[in-house]
Each structure stands twice: as C-alpha cells, then as structure tokens.
Amino acid sequence: EPEVTQTPSHQVTQMGQEVILRCVPISNHLYFYWYRQILGQKVEFLVSFYNNEISEKSEIFDDQFSVERPDGSNFTLKIRSTKLEDSAMYFCASSLSWEGTQYFGPGTRLLVL
Amino acid sequence: AQSVAQPEDQVNVAEGNPLTVKCTYSVSGNPYLFWYVQYPNRGLQFLLKYITGDNLVKGSYGFEAEFNKSQTSFHLKKPSALVSDSALYFCAVRDMATSGTYKYIFGTGTRLKVLA
C-alpha cells in the first residue's frame, strides 16, 4: 500500500540554524500539507500546497517557514532560523483531491537546542 | 469554527472487552469526521471517516465509529480489544479553509491502554 515517507526521522539542531524537512507524498496525490505536534499537545495545521503554490497557511506559518516542491516527488518544509519553540513532531500529509482523505507520514521529530 | 473534543485523556480496557473512545464535535454545516491512530514512533494512521450515509462506519483493524447527530458525537468502538490496540487515538474534523482547500482540526488525543 502506498504511503507518505519523511526524512529524517529525527533532527537535532542549534537555535538559529536552518532546517529542511523532507517528505515524499503518495505518488499520484496532488495536495500536500504540513502539520506539527508540540509534545503533549494537539496536532496543528501549518500549510497546504497545491499546484506549486500555498493554498492556505495558519498563523503559525510565519516568514521563517517556507515550503517547496523541488521536483516531481519531494515536498519540503524549511525553517529558516529555528527557535526553541519550533521543537515538535512535524507531519507531512497528502491527498488525491482537494476533498480526499489526508494520509500522514511517520513524522520528523525536530529538537532545537 | 469547527472543533472536536476528546473528553478522556486515557482509557483503560481489559483485553477481549469492548472499547469506546469518545469524540464530540462542533461544526457549522455537515460534519466530515475522521479517526486516526498513532502508535509509538509512528505517524498518524487513518482508521475511518464519516462523510455521509450510514451512521455506523467500519474501518481498519476491526474498528468502527458511530455518528450521532443529535448528540454531536462520533465515538470510536471495537467489540473486542487487543493489547496491540494500545496507542494514541485522534479524532479530527475537516474544516474548509478560505482558499477552498481543507485542513483537519484534531482533538487532543486519547491514550488507549489495553491490559492483558
């Protein structure tokens, strides 16, 4: 069964450093998403992406965040200058259509020191 | 705004007994509801969804959920719990963004512990 994959599974970085989290969505899916889950808290929407542009972003998704689909398979989340409060599990998701079920990847656990 | 609530942080059940994980929702319009499960060090795995139709929705791993419009609930159930069902369960509701795409609003999660 096709699934969303994410790399790395864990990332430790120093405050102020840039990080790039990578995702490979399900191959025929067209809509892509990032969510995050701060430890002990609920999963929160960050951004949705379709047709090479952001469809929607939450208030969390400020200028320090960016997303990109650099080729036909990868979908990345970049945090330009990490802060301590960016420490969280980041989930990528994809859906076939705008109303299709979103399927989530295993997550990348980011720790900012 | 759409929201879901999971009133129990943890549910303990003996193996072989039926289990219920509760979820209530608050939406404007028709609700589109989902259950996901998160095993340790794993992502969110889709279990089932309610869009329309039968109030009893069947999903993966023997789970089902009952949609109750009058009680605004969407409880997850399984007739006979397994130890391997122990995990974190999230209820979610679909919310339309201003762009016309959808985002999911998640509950706080309920940890299910099935005791041997």
Side-chain angles (χ1 to χ4, degrees), chain A residues 10 31 33 35 37 40-45 48 50 55-56 58 89 91 98-107 109, chain B residues 4 34 36 38 41-46 49 51 88 90 94 96-109:
Chain A
H10 294 79
Y31 292 78
Y33 314 84
Y35 290 76
Q37 183 184 28
Q41 298 185 26
K42 60 170 74 174
V43 178
E44 303 172 288
F45 169 79
S48 58
Y50 168 71
S55 303
E56 188 77 17
S58 71
M89 178 76 95
F91 292 107
W98 62 284
E99 57 181 354
T101 299
Q102 294 178 22
Y103 293 91
F104 287 75
R109 187 170 295 284
Chain B
V4 290
F34 303 82
Y36 285 83
Q38 185 179 26
N41 301 316
R42 302 281 296 276
L44 296 166
Q45 294 183 34
F46 170 72
K49 65 182 177 184
I51 302 294
L88 191 55
F90 289 96
R94 193 176 76 176
M96 180 175 271
T98 52
S99 61
T101 58
Y102 289 109
K103 60 184 178 184
Y104 288 6
I105 308 296
F106 285 86
T108 49

Side-chain angles (χ1 to χ4, degrees), chain B residues 9-79:
Chain B
D9 289 336
Q10 180 157 322
V11 169
N12 295 329
V13 64
E15 188 175 30
N17 281 3
L19 69 87
T20 299
V21 182
K22 295 179 180 175
C23 173
T24 57
Y25 65 88
S26 173
V27 302
S28 53
N30 294 322
Y32 289 75
L33 298 159
F34 303 82
W35 275 102
Y36 285 83
V37 59
Q38 185 179 26
Y39 296 102
N41 301 316
R42 302 281 296 276
L44 296 166
Q45 294 183 34
F46 170 72
L47 277 179
L48 51 79
K49 65 182 177 184
Y50 173 82
I51 302 294
T52 186
D54 285 343
N55 289 341
L56 187 64
V57 180
K58 293 193 183 298
S60 307
Y61 313 121
F63 283 93
E64 55 191 28
E66 188 171 8
F67 173 73
N68 187 315
K69 189 172 183 178
S70 62
Q71 296 185 3
T72 62
S73 67
F74 187 56
H75 299 335
L76 182 71
K77 298 174 189 267
K78 188 173 182 182

Side-chain angles (χ1 to χ4, degrees), chain A residues 16-19 62-66 78-82 86:
Chain A
Q17 294 296 303
E18 175 183 286
V19 295
D62 62 22
D63 292 345
Q64 292 301 311
F65 291 88
S66 62
K78 183 194 291 187
I79 309 175
R80 218 176 322 276
S81 177
T82 50
D86 293 328

